[in-house]
Amino acid sequence: MSDGGILVFAYDGSFEGFLSAVFDAFVMKTLPADIVIFDDMEPSLLKIHYVATDSEHAKRVLAGTEKKLGKTGLYMVQRAFLFDGEGKENAIMRFIWRAFNEKKSISGNIGDEDVSRVFKMSTAVGNEAERFRQFTRFSDNNGALVAVIHPKHFVLPIIKHYFCDRIKNEHFMIFDAEHGAALIHSPGRTAIIPAESLELPSDTEDRFYSSLWKSYYRHIAIASRYNPKCRMTHMPKRFWKYLPEVAEEMESGFMPKLSFGTSARIAEGLKKESVLRLE
């Protein structure tokens, strides 16, 4: 390995662009001192190598990575790239470099520092995706299902298949407000597109059903078992805002509005809610 301290790699931020950067590193026989996205570049005294995204180069690196690390190792690399944190490109670059330059596969050696960093990033992204599979809630807006999420990591590419399979016959959108992107789907077509903001018209009908759902949740709950601290061990509080049934608990001065869960109280409450009118 030659001294990589003389170069900074700059790329377009895409996974294909990153794989092209890996290809260039092997051609130049050097690990870069840093890897940055074009738009995030700052003045530097180091030499800058501008990576040209090349789909053929990317495919060769992808195929080679799978050959060296297997499907599990490649999967780990793909998920780690979705991690939102500094230094992810350097860590993944070093991991792939090691994989290509060592005789045995290193993907299962979690005790190795280079492997451990990528493994932890991949695991964090996977855990985040699983939570958004569970806690994403849609609202009906003029015939389309819409959800707004604020994930730590870019999980849309992972949760895409889950929702497209589950509600494949619906028109829906999941807007990632943290990463400026949206997953949009209509029967037969799916895409992830850039989206800086989202403005939705008020939908009285959806507010009506949301209110009904919250009332139903309150009436089947058991007051004596109300334990928000226990709930947080299974569902971190940052996810509460996505669930209409518990979102109001984040408001100051909230007092639990729960029944004792008896069949009579449930029937009585649902009967009243059947004539509910929104202000």
Side-chain angles (χ1 to χ4, degrees):
M1 183 192 312
S2 61
D3 182 9
I6 61 169
L7 285 176
V8 171
F9 277 20
Y11 79 114
D12 62 6
S14 68
F15 186 55
E16 192 175 66
F18 173 72
L19 294 177
S20 300
V22 174
F23 183 90
D24 287 1
F26 278 96
V27 170
M28 299 167 68
K29 298 181 180 180
T30 184
L31 280 173
D34 198 7
I35 306 172
V36 299
I37 298 174
F38 294 140
D39 294 341
D40 299 334
M41 289 181 61
E42 296 181 355
S44 173
L45 296 177
L46 300 179
K47 293 181 180 179
I48 298 176
H49 169 65
Y50 293 91
V51 176
T53 300
D54 188 307
S55 59
E56 290 303 317
H57 290 174
K59 288 177 182 178
R60 288 176 61 181
V61 173
L62 202 63
T65 301
E66 183 175 356
K67 183 178 180 180
K68 283 288 186 179
L69 296 172
K71 291 187 180 298
T72 300
L74 177 61
Y75 188 62
M76 192 161 67
V77 166
Q78 291 170 323
R79 285 205 167 188
F81 186 77
L82 301 175
F83 183 84
D84 192 347
E86 293 184 3
K88 71 174 183 183
E89 291 94 346
N90 288 350
I92 301 171
M93 173 77 82
R94 187 170 182 83
F95 176 65
I96 296 176
W97 182 281
R98 288 274 311 279
F100 273 84
N101 284 283
E102 297 195 12
K103 293 181 179 179
K104 295 182 179 180
S105 174
I106 65 171
S107 60
N109 187 10
I110 306 301
D112 185 285
E113 183 179 354
D114 291 331
V115 179
S116 177
R117 289 182 64 190
V118 175
F119 175 78
K120 288 178 180 178
M121 291 190 295
S122 175
T123 301
V125 172
N127 290 341
E128 185 83 342
E130 181 57 32
R131 285 171 171 167
F132 278 97
R133 289 190 191 100
Q134 299 176 40
F135 304 136
T136 297
R137 294 293 185 270
F138 291 90
S139 61
D140 189 328
N141 203 285
N142 296 324
L145 300 177
V146 179
V148 179
I149 61 175
H150 295 77
K152 291 180 179 179
H153 311 296
F154 188 47
V155 298
L156 288 183
I158 302 178
I159 66 176
K160 175 180 70 174
H161 300 293
Y162 173 79
F163 287 105
C164 289
D165 289 342
R166 190 180 182 191
I167 49 177
K168 60 184 177 182
N169 295 322
E170 300 288 344
H171 298 270
F172 72 84
M173 175 175 68
I174 302 176
F175 174 61
D176 181 348
E178 292 297 318
H179 300 92
L183 166 63
I184 56 174
H185 172 86
S186 60
R189 298 184 65 186
T190 305
I192 296 176
I193 62 172
E196 293 301 324
S197 61
L198 176 67
E199 294 184 12
L200 295 173
S202 176
D203 193 315
T204 303
E205 183 178 7
D206 184 71
R207 291 171 54 211
F208 172 74
Y209 285 111
S210 177
S211 184
L212 281 179
W213 170 246
K214 288 190 286 186
S215 179
Y216 169 76
Y217 174 80
R218 290 196 299 267
H219 282 89
I220 65 170
I222 300 174
S224 60
R225 294 185 180 178
Y226 179 70
N227 189 339
K229 289 186 178 180
C230 179
R231 178 196 288 158
M232 280 189 283
T233 64
H234 303 284
M235 179 175 60
K237 199 167 185 178
R238 66 188 178 94
F239 292 97
W240 290 16
K241 59 186 176 183
Y242 305 117
L243 287 74
E245 62 269 31
V246 296
E248 60 186 351
E249 296 184 32
M250 301 183 72
E251 300 174 3
S252 59
F254 169 79
M255 294 294 290
K257 303 173 183 177
L258 308 174
S259 75
F260 287 93
T262 64
S263 58
R265 292 289 296 276
I266 293 174
E268 179 184 356
L270 291 177
K271 183 177 180 180
K272 291 179 179 179
E273 296 301 339
S274 67
V275 294
L276 176 67
R277 292 293 182 271
L278 299 174
E279 296 180 359

